[in-house]
Amino acid sequence: MSEFVNKIYRNNTIIYKVILFLITTVAIVYLFPKGGQFKYDFNNGQLWKYDNLYATFDFAIQKTDEEIASEKQEIKANSKLYFNYKTDVVSKVNETFKNRIGILKVEDSLSISEINRLEKIGESIINKIYNSGFLEVASENVVSENNQIVALKKDNQVEDISFKNLLTSKDVLKIIKINLGKEPYSYGQKSLLNILAGIVKPNISFDEIYTDKVIENEISKISYTKGKVTEGELIILKGGIVEGKKLAILNSLKSESASKVWTDSNYNWIVFGYTILVSLALLMLLLFLHKYRIEIFENNNKVTFIFFNVFAIIFIQTLVIKYNADYLYVVPLSILPIIIKAFFDARLGLFTHVLTVLLLGYIVPNSFEFIYLHIIAGIVTILTVSELYKRANLFISVAQITGIYMITYFAFSIIKEGNASQVNWDYFILFAMNGLLSFLSIILIYMYEKVFGLVSDVTLLELSNTNTKLLRELNEKAPGTFQHSMQVANLAEAAANEIGANSMLVRTGALYHDIGKMLNPMYFIENQSTGVNPHNDLSPRDSTKIITDHVIKGVELAKKYNLPDRIIDFIRTHHGTSSTYYFYKKEQELNPDTKVDIKNFQYKGPIPFSKETAILMMCDTAEAASKSIKNPTAQSISNLIDKIIDKQMADNQFLNSDITFREIKVIKKVIKKKLMNIYHLRVEYPE
């Protein structure tokens, strides 16, 4: 049992990766749409590149969403509007009128006959108003044209009338005035006018609920099909153009095929197929890390970070598609290569981005267009996004990425439609939104630094500030080492710029590479200002131990101050497995009869494993050795640099650093030029 537990403990990193791999695979497959994949790829206006296609089963031709929407719109536009005629309002008005006219008193100016005459006039006016119908103010603007025919509901009967026949408040006032006669009005006419103005009420109103119900009833009768294709019927010939009715039939076949494939009996097989494809993609990512980025592969935290970002992108894209596929291109997929490149390198960023886009091809419409668009955008992202600590760089890069999206989409549109008139300009707004959302990468990078303990160029910029606590302490305790580190940083940065390496990373690493020396500063010649060398009192082996220990102590000090692993790598590798050759030769002189093992005088390594750490090794050794030249000339400096770097190459110090001979040649040239500028003699001024 204990042996089994020990075996698990020894292989815990591999077990963790297997579990992470399985969880990510299951999660991604779960996000995939619950439908089968159609085996033909086609687009409107394209040639049919497959063999003649015949129907293998009967199916109906489905109307497009646009056709159905058009029919619904037509029903709404042509549907009658329904109005209610309220007879109870008419009865109440008549009753109120009789009561009001009956209480008029007989006065000198108003006789019984006059009152009777006014009563007849009032009844005539009321009849004229309600024979046509008095429309309430709120319902006056529900129709677009006065000549429109509307339906009037009256006592369980419906009749069609012209909307213009319904009276508005202005029409009612006009009828009253015409029937009362010419002005000025008599006392009786004024009394009748006041009575009518107080009792006449609208009796017709728009019945919105009933109208909507009628429209919905008509919409429910819409047929979602427009024909039928029988088994064995020819759908399209090879080389035919996919358009019109053929496009509709192919879309219907695609829909029907998906529903037939995704049945209970086939469910497990389809999920199994999805699982294989997703597993292959994620396995390729792991194999890439194992083959070319072994230091990342061995770090479970970094592997988790990469897998998490792949899943997060797929998850967000899936949510958008389920919510509204029209916003497909709003999701800023370029964030993934930006983040991966910020923490690791461009090659891994592009590889991860391509695999993620390929996986997304299963869940997006027009998968070829989607994959092409985003792979091109990803390549542009990798080529343009650099030095994120410079704010202008990200703005320029995002603008270029957005422009590539727009240009590529425009090209696809004119290929599909045959001209530019059918381009959907709304997509350009979506691409602009995509570009704006890409700026979230800055926030995400900061969050990931805190959560996963990674380091980006922004953090490197902060660490490269010579006013940080650790660098101030180095300057105070070992000023010579500090000046040496500054010179090496300048050399390394210039060299990195020339070969396209991460200049900010190598500069920051150079500033911290010798911090271990400040624990015993006087044992290093650059700090010996008094001319007293404490190594004179030590044996060569003891001196070697003190010298080589500055690497180990530097790593310990860096961890104490929570420096990122990427900076600690420079401390560990800047001497590689080179030797303290001076003390080795001294030991041979002291013990001429004894064979001296050079391994006792070597640094413990490891050797550089990146271009940046290799650059630091070259610049560090070159800068230190240049101080030994008594009369520095261009030739002597050139010979020294060639000798030092050629020796490092012969000792296989750059075997793991993925650096080319051409790049080493360029680095040599930069170092020589910089050192010549440093040791350039000034003109001697007269006293």
Side-chain angles (χ1 to χ4, degrees):
M1 181 67 181
S2 60
E3 185 179 348
F4 176 73
V5 173
N6 289 335
K7 187 176 289 187
I8 292 176
Y9 181 77
R10 286 195 301 271
N11 298 291
N12 67 86
T13 56
I14 297 298
I15 293 171
Y16 176 84
K17 288 181 180 68
V18 171
I19 294 173
L20 177 66
F21 175 84
L22 293 174
I23 291 174
T24 309
T25 300
V26 171
I28 292 174
V29 171
Y30 177 78
L31 293 175
F32 278 6
K34 301 300 183 287
Q37 293 289 322
F38 193 52
K39 58 184 176 181
Y40 302 111
D41 187 25
F42 60 91
N43 282 302
N44 184 28
Q46 289 185 342
L47 293 177
W48 182 255
K49 53 192 174 185
Y50 308 99
D51 292 332
N52 297 350
L53 181 63
Y54 296 88
T56 55
F57 54 86
D58 296 344
F59 63 92
I61 304 173
Q62 304 290 329
K63 293 179 180 177
T64 65
D65 292 339
E66 290 77 13
E67 289 174 327
I68 293 171
S70 177
E71 288 188 29
K72 288 180 179 179
Q73 189 62 36
E74 187 176 354
I75 287 172
K76 291 178 181 179
N78 297 330
S79 179
K80 287 181 183 177
L81 302 179
Y82 286 79
F83 290 80
N84 282 326
Y85 185 97
K86 301 173 185 176
T87 54
D88 58 325
V89 173
V90 180
S91 301
K92 190 173 182 180
V93 169
N94 281 319
E95 183 181 348
T96 305
F97 177 72
K98 288 181 180 179
N99 292 336
R100 295 279 183 90
I101 203 73
I103 62 174
L104 283 177
K105 294 180 180 180
V106 178
E107 300 179 356
D108 294 337
S109 58
L110 199 60
S111 63
I112 294 294
S113 60
E114 180 67 14
I115 291 175
N116 291 334
R117 190 180 70 83
L118 292 174
E119 183 176 359
K120 288 180 181 179
I121 293 173
E123 289 175 350
S124 175
I125 291 172
I126 291 172
N127 288 334
K128 287 180 180 179
I129 291 172
Y130 291 113
N131 279 341
S132 298
F134 183 8
L135 186 66
E136 67 179 7
V137 175
S139 302
E140 290 180 5
N141 298 318
V142 296
V143 298
S144 56
E145 296 180 4
N146 279 338
N147 292 327
Q148 185 173 332
I149 301 299
V150 298
L152 189 63
K153 294 163 55 184
K154 181 178 181 182
D155 296 332
N156 297 323
Q157 292 183 343
V158 179
E159 63 173 320
D160 292 342
I161 64 169
S162 177
F163 182 77
K164 67 180 180 181
N165 292 337
L166 299 178
L167 302 177
T168 63
S169 55
K170 291 182 179 179
D171 298 328
V172 169
L173 183 60
K174 187 176 180 181
I175 289 173
I176 293 174
K177 288 186 174 181
I178 290 173
N179 283 272
L180 282 178
K182 295 182 179 180
E183 297 186 56
Y185 296 142
S186 64
Y187 173 75
Q189 289 173 317
K190 289 180 180 178
S191 299
L192 180 58
L193 177 60
N194 291 334
I195 291 172
L196 291 173
I199 65 172
V200 173
K201 308 260 183 217
N203 74 316
I204 293 180
S205 61
F206 174 56
D207 193 341
E208 185 176 3
I209 296 174
Y210 189 80
T211 301
D212 289 342
K213 190 180 293 184
V214 171
I215 293 173
E216 289 300 322
N217 185 51
E218 290 297 318
I219 288 175
S220 67
K221 296 177 183 178
I222 290 176
S223 173
Y224 287 81
T225 62
K226 55 180 180 180
K228 183 180 180 181
V229 177
T230 58
E231 183 178 353
E233 183 179 338
L234 176 64
I235 296 175
I236 189 170
L237 291 169
K238 183 177 182 180
I241 299 176
V242 180
E243 61 181 356
K245 186 177 180 181
K246 293 176 183 177
L247 177 63
I249 293 174
L250 285 170
N251 283 325
S252 301
L253 177 61
K254 181 178 180 180
S255 177
E256 287 293 325
S257 298
S259 62
K260 284 182 176 294
V261 169
W262 197 267
T263 60
D264 291 338
S265 60
N266 294 336
Y267 179 88
N268 293 332
W269 282 108
I270 295 173
V271 170
F272 180 64
Y274 276 153
T275 304
I276 291 175
L277 293 174
V278 174
S279 298
L280 284 174
L282 296 179
L283 183 61
M284 293 305 103
L285 182 55
L286 284 175
L287 289 176
F288 178 87
L289 294 174
H290 185 267
K291 179 75 174 176
Y292 299 106
R293 302 292 184 271
I294 189 65
E295 73 280 0
I296 298 176
F297 180 81
E298 292 175 350
N299 189 320
N300 283 340
N301 182 51
K302 293 178 179 179
V303 175
T304 304
F305 169 77
I306 295 170
F307 273 58
F308 171 78
N309 277 278
V310 171
F311 173 75
I313 288 292
I314 295 174
F315 177 71
I316 294 170
Q317 188 73 76
T318 305
L319 285 182
V320 171
I321 292 171
K322 287 182 177 179
Y323 172 70
N324 191 338
D326 292 339
Y327 295 99
L328 176 69
Y329 291 108
V330 169
V331 180
L333 296 191
S334 56
I335 280 182
L336 181 61
I338 289 174
I339 289 174
I340 299 297
K341 183 181 179 182
F343 289 116
F344 304 114
D345 60 83
R347 189 177 175 187
L348 177 58
L350 181 59
F351 192 85
T352 306
H353 176 71
V354 170
L355 286 179
T356 305
V357 171
L358 289 175
L359 287 175
L360 286 171
Y362 290 110
I363 62 175
V364 298
N366 298 322
S367 57
F368 175 75
E369 177 182 323
F370 177 89
I371 291 171
Y372 187 91
L373 264 170
H374 282 295
I375 287 180
I376 292 296
I379 293 172
V380 173
T381 302
I382 292 298
L383 294 176
T384 60
V385 176
S386 61
E387 299 180 328
L388 287 176
Y389 58 89
K390 296 179 180 178
R391 289 173 293 182
N393 284 9
L394 185 60
F395 278 94
I396 295 170
S397 298
V398 168
Q400 291 173 330
I401 294 165
T402 304
I404 288 295
Y405 271 126
M406 293 179 176
I407 293 169
T408 311
Y409 169 74
F410 180 78
F412 269 109
S413 295
I414 60 177
I415 289 172
K416 284 182 180 179
E417 306 298 339
N419 56 67
S421 62
Q422 299 298 318
V423 173
N424 188 348
W425 299 104
D426 291 341
Y427 274 88
F428 289 82
I429 299 174
L430 298 181
F431 292 134
M433 293 172 63
N434 183 303
L436 290 175
L437 290 173
S438 297
F439 288 107
L440 290 174
S441 55
I442 295 296
I443 299 173
L444 290 174
I445 287 171
Y446 176 79
M447 292 172 59
Y448 284 146
E449 286 180 334
K450 303 303 178 185
V451 175
F452 290 93
L454 301 172
V455 59
S456 68
D457 284 355
V458 179
T459 301
L460 292 176
L461 179 64
E462 296 173 357
L463 291 173
S464 65
N465 187 341
T466 54
N467 284 320
T468 59
K469 184 177 179 181
L470 189 55
L471 291 180
R472 283 205 315 270
E473 189 175 347
L474 176 64
N475 191 20
E476 291 170 3
K477 294 182 178 180
T481 299
F482 178 78
Q483 292 301 322
H484 161 71
S485 298
M486 291 286 290
Q487 294 280 17
V488 172
N490 292 333
L491 288 174
E493 183 179 22
N497 282 327
E498 285 297 318
I499 68 168
N502 190 332
S503 59
M504 180 54 67
L505 176 62
V506 73
R507 177 178 179 79
T508 309
L511 289 173
Y512 289 91
H513 80 283
D514 270 344
I515 56 173
K517 290 183 178 180
M518 68 179 174
L519 299 178
N520 291 302
M522 297 309 297
Y523 285 90
F524 298 92
I525 192 167
E526 65 265 26
N527 299 309
Q528 294 171 3
S529 57
T530 60
V532 177
N533 190 342
H535 288 289
N536 294 334
D537 300 326
L538 298 175
S539 68
R541 289 200 177 191
D542 289 339
S543 294
T544 296
K545 188 175 187 315
I546 292 174
I547 295 296
T548 57
D549 275 357
H550 88 273
V551 173
I552 298 171
K553 291 178 180 178
V555 171
E556 293 172 351
L557 198 59
K559 290 181 177 179
K560 177 183 176 183
Y561 280 84
N562 297 317
L563 289 184
D565 289 340
R566 292 176 79 185
I567 302 303
I568 296 176
D569 289 341
F570 285 91
I571 301 173
R572 291 192 297 123
T573 62
H574 74 278
H575 284 294
T577 55
S578 61
S579 61
T580 53
Y581 197 71
Y582 173 82
F583 293 110
Y584 168 69
K585 296 301 291 183
K586 191 173 181 181
E587 179 72 12
Q588 284 184 327
E589 291 173 6
L590 294 174
N591 300 284
D593 300 327
T594 305
K595 185 178 180 180
V596 180
D597 189 354
I598 195 169
K599 290 183 178 179
N600 296 324
F601 296 86
Q602 284 182 325
Y603 288 91
K604 305 303 179 185
I607 60 176
F609 45 76
S610 67
K611 288 182 181 180
E612 288 78 14
T613 50
I615 290 170
L616 176 63
M617 173 180 274
M618 288 183 253
C619 294
D620 177 44
T621 310
E623 200 281 335
S626 67
K627 300 285 179 64
S628 64
I629 303 177
K630 294 181 179 179
N631 297 309
T633 62
Q635 187 61 45
S636 61
I637 290 173
S638 178
N639 292 339
L640 178 66
I641 302 307
D642 287 337
K643 179 182 177 182
I644 289 171
I645 296 179
D646 289 346
K647 177 69 165 56
Q648 290 172 338
M649 292 172 64
D651 291 341
N652 294 322
Q653 296 296 319
F654 308 133
L655 198 62
N656 299 334
S657 57
D658 191 29
I659 195 168
T660 65
F661 287 114
R662 188 194 66 80
E663 289 170 334
I664 292 175
K665 187 176 180 181
V666 172
I667 293 169
K668 279 184 181 180
K669 186 176 179 181
V670 172
I671 294 174
K672 291 174 184 178
K673 181 179 178 182
K674 289 289 182 181
L675 288 178
M676 288 175 190
N677 290 336
I678 292 172
Y679 294 111
H680 176 68
L681 294 176
R682 292 180 179 271
V683 175
E684 185 176 351
Y685 291 95
E687 295 181 0

